[in-house]
Amino acid sequence: MCRECRQEPCDPRCPNAEEVPLECTDCGSEIEIGAYVDIKGEEFICENCLMDMSGFDLAERLGIIEII
């Protein structure tokens, strides 16, 4: 377990993390560190996809609301 981020493997934002390119869950493009939204450690969304997303869609992805 990492002493900085307390995760195994390291969180991508941790200074000890390996330089592994992230891929946007929506469009598949490579993402630079710091230019994305991490949703529950499972999804990474690039800035372009985030800007195209409505507030409602983002709230749903974050688990704040649920469509019934």
Side-chain angles (χ1 to χ4, degrees):
M1 178 184 289
C2 176
R3 291 180 185 209
E4 293 290 324
C5 68
R6 301 193 179 276
Q7 293 187 28
E8 176 76 30
C10 284
D11 184 281
R13 297 167 291 195
C14 178
N16 297 327
E18 292 182 25
E19 292 287 328
V20 177
L22 296 175
E23 189 174 283
C24 179
T25 305
D26 287 3
C27 71
S29 66
E30 191 174 306
I31 308 173
E32 293 180 25
I33 298 295
Y36 66 94
V37 172
D38 178 357
I39 300 180
K40 301 177 186 175
E42 300 169 6
E43 295 183 64
F44 301 100
I45 302 174
C46 70
E47 275 185 300
N48 292 332
C49 290
L50 182 63
M51 297 304 273
D52 291 341
M53 194 178 294
S54 72
F56 183 80
D57 290 336
L58 181 59
E60 180 184 19
R61 299 277 286 272
L62 291 170
I64 296 170
I65 60 172
E66 184 178 335
I67 297 178
I68 299 175

